[in-house]
Amino acid sequence: MPVENDTLGSVLADVLASSHRLALPAIPGLLQDAGERLGLSGARVYVADLQQRDLVALLAPEQARESGADGEAAAPETLPVDNSLAGRAYRTETTQLSRPEAGASEQTAWIPVVDGIGRLGVLRVTAPELDAPLLRRCEALADLLAMILAAKQPYSDLLAQTMRTRPMSLQAELLWAFLPPRTIGTAAVTSSAILEPAYDVGGDAYDHSLAGDDLHLTLLDAMGHDLASGGCSATALAACRSSRRAGGRLDDIAVEIDSTLDRWIPGRLLTCVIADLDTRTGRLDWINCGHPPPLLIRDRRVVTGALDRAPHPSLGLTGYDIPPPPVHSTQLQPGDRLLLFTDGVTDARSAAGELFGEQRLADAVVRALTDGLPAPEALRRLIQQILVHQDQRLNDDATLLLTEWHPPEP
């Protein structure tokens, strides 16, 4: 039962104050206590697994012990993202209220847990009656929960284990440690990325970051599919960040990556697209070093050849006295989307040897965006199509980075 004189603000303040020194296993208990103070009978969080196929319940240690048999902890409850009401809340980022079964004494709602604009999972709440005011309080609790989970995720093995369905290769572990959140953004721009095979990625990597009104984008593809490939991409990401944070321009970044590879990982080649988007004006600057050209999507269609330029040679060839890559520029229109991808996407082959191809990629992403899906969900569905095309066994890394410029109305 809710505590007398408890307000939403006091509940959230107490949750935030308590969360600072709590380890992740204590979060489910903290969440349940907060839910009861708000008038709920139950509150449980489910996090999305690494490939966003399932939502996995985050259990407190005592809950795991109680659910097990013979002293062994049982597997946590999982719900499919593609075929459940919880999954619908995650996919659409909207609260879903289930219809109570005949004779049921409680209602259930599923609330998306989103940190900024990055999806983490869903919050399941139950109560005798979930009216609009109570649901709004629950949504505020879900927002705070997202911030807490995002803050603890970088140093929580428990959360990493909950989000994984199998062991991860050493090179994948190395790369994921360097990657930023899959989705970032502001009121003016959204950038979302996805990478497969998630547990065995070799040389692909992405980066996106915000500096005031500027959005930086990087997509890398290092030669090979081993630990050295992962180290090459991780080193290139570090060189990119070091250069741009010191005020380097796009061509400076390319030169820094090139010289760093030549010094520390000689003989390794790397292709990339590195770009800056001014989110106030829509000006896009980019360089392309041996990489597939990005796609520009405008008014629900791909603008053929809009960003095709003669590619500069791959990076890692410092000894050949190659000049810095040229910087290209174009003007985006409000609502434009930019899709960066590695050749593992278009070169994915079916069992019959049919390439996925750029045209199929363009059709698939346009169809997803036409359905009104947010960028993270459009990419999730797109990578599923690529995996189905290749019978769930990618022969090369496949990485997608989708950016949408949506400036607020004046």
Side-chain angles (χ1 to χ4, degrees):
M1 295 294 291
V3 179
E4 186 177 359
N5 296 327
D6 248 348
T7 64
L8 175 62
S10 66
V11 173
L12 297 184
D14 289 347
V15 169
L16 181 59
S18 300
S19 70
H20 292 311
R21 295 183 179 273
L22 282 184
L24 192 77
I27 297 300
L30 178 66
L31 179 64
Q32 177 66 24
D33 291 343
E36 291 176 357
R37 290 176 62 185
L38 292 176
L40 302 174
S41 55
R44 174 177 290 184
V45 62
Y46 295 69
V47 294
D49 78 297
L50 187 62
Q51 294 174 299
Q52 302 180 83
R53 296 176 179 176
D54 292 303
L55 295 163
V56 186
L58 185 63
L59 300 180
E62 61 272 15
Q63 293 174 312
R65 287 193 295 269
E66 290 172 0
S67 61
D70 301 327
E72 294 185 1
E77 179 188 6
T78 62
L79 301 168
V81 169
D82 284 314
N83 191 26
S84 67
L85 197 60
R88 180 176 176 81
Y90 179 82
R91 296 192 314 269
T92 62
E93 301 180 27
T94 57
T95 297
Q96 302 294 316
L97 185 62
S98 64
R99 295 179 179 177
E101 299 179 1
S105 59
E106 290 189 323
Q107 286 185 291
T108 300
W110 300 92
I111 301 169
V113 176
V114 181
D115 177 45
I117 58 174
R119 305 180 299 182
L120 298 177
V122 295
L123 173 65
R124 178 182 183 267
V125 297
T126 55
E129 182 181 2
L130 289 167
D131 56 16
L134 181 54
L135 283 176
R136 285 195 293 272
R137 293 195 291 272
C138 293
E139 288 168 350
L141 179 62
D143 288 342
L144 179 58
L145 175 63
M147 296 174 63
I148 294 170
L149 291 177
K152 295 184 179 295
Q153 183 175 359
Y155 56 88
S156 171
D157 278 356
L158 175 61
L159 192 54
Q161 291 164 348
T162 302
M163 296 171 66
R164 296 182 184 184
T165 59
R166 61 184 178 88
M168 183 172 284
S169 70
L170 186 57
Q171 64 263 31
E173 194 76 63
L174 172 65
L175 268 183
W176 279 110
F178 273 79
L179 297 180
R182 279 187 295 227
T183 302
I184 65 171
T186 65
V189 69
T190 299
S191 181
S192 190
I194 199 162
L195 191 160
E196 286 283 356
Y199 294 93
D200 195 34
V201 62
D204 279 12
Y206 69 86
D207 197 9
H208 47 197
S209 63
L210 289 156
D213 294 311
D214 295 323
L215 172 68
H216 176 86
L217 305 169
T218 295
L219 192 60
L220 308 171
D221 185 357
M223 178 182 67
H225 196 86
D226 53 14
L227 182 59
S229 301
C232 180
S233 288
T235 301
L237 280 182
C240 175
R241 291 168 180 168
S242 175
S243 180
R244 76 168 188 261
R245 290 168 182 172
R249 302 168 305 181
L250 294 178
D251 51 351
D252 297 325
I253 293 172
V255 169
E256 181 67 20
I257 293 174
D258 198 50
S259 61
T260 300
L261 295 182
D262 181 67
R263 179 180 181 184
W264 298 108
I265 315 179
R268 284 278 170 169
L269 300 183
L270 176 145
T271 71
C272 65
V273 171
I274 306 175
D276 284 328
L277 173 62
D278 186 331
T279 64
R280 296 165 300 177
T281 66
R283 177 188 170 93
L284 175 70
D285 299 321
W286 80 99
I287 59 174
N288 185 338
C289 299
H291 203 82
L295 297 181
L296 177 62
I297 303 162
R298 176 175 294 159
D299 296 330
R300 302 182 180 180
R301 67 180 183 87
V302 173
V303 183
T304 305
L307 304 180
D308 290 358
R309 303 291 189 275
H312 190 76
S314 303
L315 299 182
L317 297 170
T318 301
Y320 291 88
D321 196 26
I322 298 173
V327 177
H328 311 295
S329 299
T330 194
Q331 179 64 43
L332 299 187
Q333 297 179 12
D336 278 357
R337 282 117 171 179
L338 180 70
L339 181 67
L340 281 60
F341 59 95
T342 59
D343 58 10
V345 173
T346 50
D347 291 351
R349 290 185 180 272
S350 67
E354 181 184 6
L355 289 173
F356 191 79
E358 186 173 312
Q359 186 58 54
R360 196 192 306 264
L361 169 64
D363 293 342
V365 70
V366 168
R367 185 163 54 250
L369 295 172
T370 300
D371 290 340
L373 300 173
E377 182 60 20
L379 287 189
R380 192 188 72 88
R381 295 194 184 186
L382 182 54
I383 203 70
Q384 285 184 339
Q385 293 183 45
I386 296 167
L387 288 167
V388 168
H389 179 80
Q390 202 164 334
D391 297 328
Q392 304 295 326
R393 296 180 63 86
L394 288 172
N395 295 322
D396 192 9
D397 300 340
T399 306
L400 296 149
L401 180 59
L402 179 63
T403 299
E404 180 179 357
W405 184 50
H406 44 74
E409 292 290 337

